[in-house]
């Protein structure tokens, strides 16, 4: 049990009255700050007590967290860090069952087959869906996937577990089921469907046909900044909260979850605790990708080149904050139709406050990481529209020039050298980066959805920015833009 001396918001329901109706793969920090947070509040409603969560942890590396949560009977504390500096601490109880596949594989498989389980949820990370970035296809030649295809009763991956569990479910005549991705990727339900159906079609055609009739894959859009909990964070949180929690989590005070209402066997009333149920999540995804994710990318390289290493510190620099807000207001807002019942001005203001939240400080280096996978999704779609509409492109041109400087010179404005982590850049990409001709950089693989070199309203400010950053530095150049 978690011992606490401070006042903590504790659930009031009897956990013995809660039954698991959801099985979740990937019991990490984000899941525990997001889906379990909402579901724990939902369980206060006596009519919702059949929607507890059964956690399925299937990786060898899950052992420490599994044992910590098991010792605490699935309970843990969540510290919600306010933008005003005030924190709220919650003791959550939605995780009513927990299994570790390394020791309890059969229990997880039988749980998937259990008719009481009506939803399988996932936070297995973007890479966990095993989709090739080059082809967009599920990679059947992945070693663990190949093992699971050949050994149905002894799975290692989420795909193998779900396939074998659903095979047992089908054999028992149990009801349909929903597979709901809660990972931070666009059209995550479509991605989950492609991954799981590709696996099952390669393994068991009869099961694939059953799934077509009995399984739905809703899309959802998730948002809550939840840092990794390091050992020093555990010590700090326990000291602040007067607890002895071996598995605490902390997160920002903002939370959003938009879910396509497409469930095969009923669902919890999540809308009563803050979720937004909708017929189509596309407008919400577009808003988040175009404003939150693109702004993160926009601020990352200039901030890093100037010497900032924490996002909140960068956003408390008035120059960077003004730059980000101008980008949102002038460049992006014309291309983001506000979803129903959404105040876009409030959303943008809230984003700036979230980026500057000192209590959930993020690393600028993390935002810089893997730019090659971010530009095609967050930046290029709106840039292509801006070029076509002959818009002013100074801020986006500056971003591209800063990204080139970051990749090419590995040195910030203060002369500090740094390592670059951009794993999806190809050998040909690195040749273009090494070139002393700045226009060559615009042929990088992440930018190939359009010929940027042919867009003179883009190349002219871009070339000026390249020269200015090299001669004056990233921040002096930004000051001139502002």
């Amino acid at each position: 049990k978690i011992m606490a001396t401070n006042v903590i918001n504790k659930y009031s329901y009897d956990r013995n009255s809660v039954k698991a109706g959801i099985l979740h793969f990937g019991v990490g920090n984000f899941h525990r700050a997001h889906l379990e947070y909402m579901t724990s509040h939902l369980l206060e409603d006596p009519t919702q007590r059949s929607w507890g969560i059964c956690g399925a942890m299937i990786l060898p590396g899950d052992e420490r967290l599994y044992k910590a949560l098991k010792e605490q009977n699935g309970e843990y504390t969540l510290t919600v860090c306010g933008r005003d500096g005030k924190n709220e601490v919650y003791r959550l109880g939605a995780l009513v069952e927990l299994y570790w596949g390394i020791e309890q594989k059969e229990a997880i498989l039988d749980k998937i087959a259990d008719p009481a389980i009506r939803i399988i949820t996932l936070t297995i990370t973007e890479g966990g869906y095993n989709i090739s970035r080059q082809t967009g296809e599920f990679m059947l030649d992945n070693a663990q996937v190949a093992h699971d295809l050949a050994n149905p009763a002894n799975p290692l991956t989420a795909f193998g577990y779900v396939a074998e569990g659903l095979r047992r479910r089908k054999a028992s005549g149990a009801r349909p089921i929903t597979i709901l991705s809660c990972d931070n990727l666009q059209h995550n339900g479509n991605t989950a469907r492609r991954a799981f159906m590709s696996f099952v079609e390669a393994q068991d055609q009869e099961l694939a046909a059953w799934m077509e009739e009995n399984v739905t894959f809703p899309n959802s859009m998730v948002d809550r900044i939840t840092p990794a909990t390091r050992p020093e964070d555990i010590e700090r949180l326990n000291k602040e909260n007067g607890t002895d929690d071996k598995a605490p989590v902390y997160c920002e005070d903002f939370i959003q979850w938009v879910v396509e209402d497409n469930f095969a066997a009923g669902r919890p009333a999540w809308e009563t605790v803050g979720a937004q149920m909708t017929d189509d999540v596309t407008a919400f995804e577009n808003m988040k990708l175009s404003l939150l994710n693109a702004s993160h990318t926009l601020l990352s390289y200039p901030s890093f080149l100037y010497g900032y290493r924490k996002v909140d510190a960068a956003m408390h620099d008035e120059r960077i904050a003004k730059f980000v807000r101008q980008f949102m207001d002038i460049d992006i807002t014309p291309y983001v139709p506000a979803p129903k019942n959404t105040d876009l001005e409030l959303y943008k203001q809230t984003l700036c406050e979230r980026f500057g939240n000192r209590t959930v400080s993020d690393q600028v280096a993390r935002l810089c990481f893997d730019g090659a996978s971010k530009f095609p999704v967050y930046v290029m779609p709106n840039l292509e529209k801006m070029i076509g509409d002959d818009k002013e492109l100074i801020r986006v041109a500056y971003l591209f020039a800063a990204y080139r400087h970051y990749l090419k010179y590995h040195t910030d404005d203060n002369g500090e050298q740094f390592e670059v982590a951009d794993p999806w850049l190809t050998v040909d990409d690195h040749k273009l980066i090494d070139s002393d001709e700045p226009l060559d950089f615009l042929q990088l693989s992440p930018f190939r959805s359009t010929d940027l070199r042919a867009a003179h309203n883009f190349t002219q400010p871009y070339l000026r920015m390249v020269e200015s950053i090299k001669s004056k530095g990233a921040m002096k150049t930004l000051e001139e833009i502002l």
Side-chain angles (χ1 to χ4, degrees):
K1 293 292 184 181
I2 301 167
M3 302 301 294
T5 56
N6 292 355
V7 176
I8 291 178
N9 299 296
K10 184 185 182 299
Y11 60 87
S12 62
Y13 49 86
D14 177 5
R15 294 179 84 216
N16 291 322
S17 70
V18 176
K19 304 300 179 188
I22 302 165
L23 182 133
H24 182 82
F25 283 94
V27 186
N29 280 16
F30 177 77
H31 163 70
R32 293 191 291 137
H34 196 265
L35 176 58
E36 286 192 18
Y37 170 81
M38 282 194 172
T39 304
S40 188
H41 289 314
L42 179 73
L43 294 175
E44 299 291 349
D45 180 346
T47 70
Q48 298 292 306
R49 301 276 165 81
S50 63
W51 292 112
I53 297 172
C54 172
M57 306 177 79
I58 61 174
L59 302 176
D62 290 333
E63 182 175 9
R64 189 207 69 78
L65 180 56
Y66 164 75
K67 289 184 174 177
L69 286 170
K70 198 71 177 175
E71 183 178 333
Q72 296 173 181
N73 200 27
E75 293 182 318
Y76 60 94
T77 55
L78 174 69
T79 300
V80 177
C81 303
R83 281 162 273 170
D84 59 1
K86 297 177 182 177
N87 298 343
E88 284 281 330
V89 185
Y90 296 87
R91 184 167 162 185
L92 303 179
L95 188 65
V96 293
E97 294 183 48
L98 184 64
Y99 301 105
W100 185 36
I102 306 303
E103 294 179 346
Q104 299 154 303
K105 190 166 293 188
E106 283 297 309
I108 295 174
L109 295 172
D110 286 342
K111 205 71 189 175
I112 297 170
D114 185 341
I117 297 294
R118 291 182 276 167
I119 301 174
I120 296 170
T121 53
L122 309 160
T123 45
I124 56 177
T125 76
E126 180 179 355
Y129 292 87
N130 192 45
I131 300 290
S132 167
R133 295 198 188 193
Q134 282 72 39
T135 67
E137 300 298 318
F138 184 76
M139 295 182 287
L140 292 167
D141 57 353
N142 173 284
Q144 289 194 320
V145 167
H147 169 276
D148 284 6
L149 288 171
N151 300 276
N154 185 30
L156 301 175
T157 69
F159 314 109
Y161 271 92
V162 168
E164 177 61 17
L166 292 185
R167 203 165 9 253
R168 298 181 185 188
R169 191 179 186 92
K170 171 176 171 283
S172 70
R175 69 174 88 182
I177 196 167
T178 291
I179 297 177
L180 174 62
S181 171
C182 301
D183 279 298
N184 186 26
L185 65 158
Q186 196 171 16
H187 306 318
N188 56 14
N190 298 349
T191 299
R193 178 183 173 81
R194 185 181 312 123
F196 283 91
M197 292 306 298
S198 295
F199 177 90
V200 174
E201 284 165 2
Q203 187 189 62
D204 185 338
Q205 288 286 332
E206 283 189 20
L207 179 61
W210 180 87
M211 288 178 66
E212 291 286 357
E213 297 294 324
N214 291 278
V215 182
T216 59
F217 294 86
N219 289 298
S220 72
M221 191 274 276
V222 300
D223 192 7
R224 184 169 232 186
I225 297 170
T226 308
T229 309
R230 302 163 299 181
E232 57 266 35
D233 293 319
I234 294 176
E235 184 177 343
R236 171 180 62 83
L237 291 167
N238 279 323
K239 185 176 181 180
E240 289 175 0
N241 299 336
T243 51
D244 182 23
D245 185 355
K246 294 180 173 59
V249 186
Y250 71 106
C251 65
E252 66 169 333
D253 56 356
F254 180 89
I255 186 168
Q256 189 174 26
W257 192 24
V258 185
V259 189
E260 181 186 353
D261 202 350
N262 179 24
F263 290 79
R267 63 167 177 82
W270 280 313
E271 69 274 19
T272 63
V273 289
Q276 295 165 270
M277 311 306 295
T278 182
D279 293 333
D280 187 358
V281 303
T282 303
F284 294 93
E285 288 181 332
N286 181 43
M287 180 178 69
K288 178 173 179 284
L289 293 171
S290 299
L291 289 170
L292 186 154
N293 296 110
S295 296
H296 259 163
T297 300
L298 181 89
L299 74 86
S300 62
Y301 302 104
S303 298
F304 196 87
L305 290 174
Y306 185 58
Y308 285 117
R309 294 298 177 260
K310 293 291 187 70
V311 176
D312 61 298
M315 281 300 290
H316 281 272
D317 184 319
E318 290 183 4
R319 297 165 295 184
I320 292 173
K322 184 177 180 181
F323 177 55
V324 169
R325 191 60 199 249
Q326 284 185 351
F327 171 74
M328 290 181 180
D329 291 341
I330 301 170
D331 301 330
I332 300 303
T333 296
Y335 301 102
V336 180
K340 185 179 179 181
N341 299 325
T342 299
D343 182 336
L344 204 58
E345 290 305 306
L346 178 61
Y347 183 81
K348 290 184 289 186
Q349 179 59 34
T350 302
L351 278 182
C352 293
E353 293 173 4
R354 293 171 65 196
F355 293 168
N357 188 336
R358 294 191 186 279
T359 52
V360 285
S361 181
D362 205 352
Q363 297 288 333
V364 179
R366 188 188 72 81
L367 303 189
C368 293
F369 173 76
D370 196 15
S373 72
K374 295 173 181 175
F375 272 81
V377 180
Y378 307 152
V379 178
M380 292 303 295
N382 286 320
L383 174 56
E384 290 165 15
K385 295 173 188 173
M386 292 170 68
I387 289 171
D389 293 342
D390 199 26
K391 295 284 189 179
E392 178 197 51
L393 297 170
I394 188 71
R395 282 165 293 276
V396 186
Y398 173 72
L399 165 61
F400 276 72
Y403 184 40
R404 177 180 183 268
H405 197 92
Y406 168 86
L407 292 175
K408 183 174 177 63
Y409 296 109
H410 297 200
T411 306
D412 67 18
D413 287 1
N414 307 306
E416 294 289 327
Q417 293 191 323
F418 54 82
E419 293 296 318
V420 167
D422 222 315
W424 288 96
L425 291 172
T426 66
V427 173
D428 288 341
D429 286 333
H430 283 288
K431 291 178 182 176
L432 296 169
I433 293 165
D434 291 340
S435 170
D436 290 328
E437 171 50 68
L439 290 177
D440 288 345
F441 181 76
L442 301 181
Q443 300 178 78
L444 250 62
S445 58
F447 313 146
R448 284 185 188 152
S449 58
T450 193
D451 184 3
L452 292 176
R453 294 173 304 162
H456 297 298
N457 56 338
F458 177 78
T459 57
Q460 290 175 358
Y462 164 74
L463 290 172
R464 290 202 313 272
M465 296 299 100
V466 165
E467 184 57 37
S468 180
I469 291 173
K470 187 175 180 182
S471 60
K472 303 175 185 175
M475 189 55 72
K476 286 290 185 186
T477 302
L478 178 58
E479 289 172 356
E480 292 178 4
I481 292 173
L482 295 173

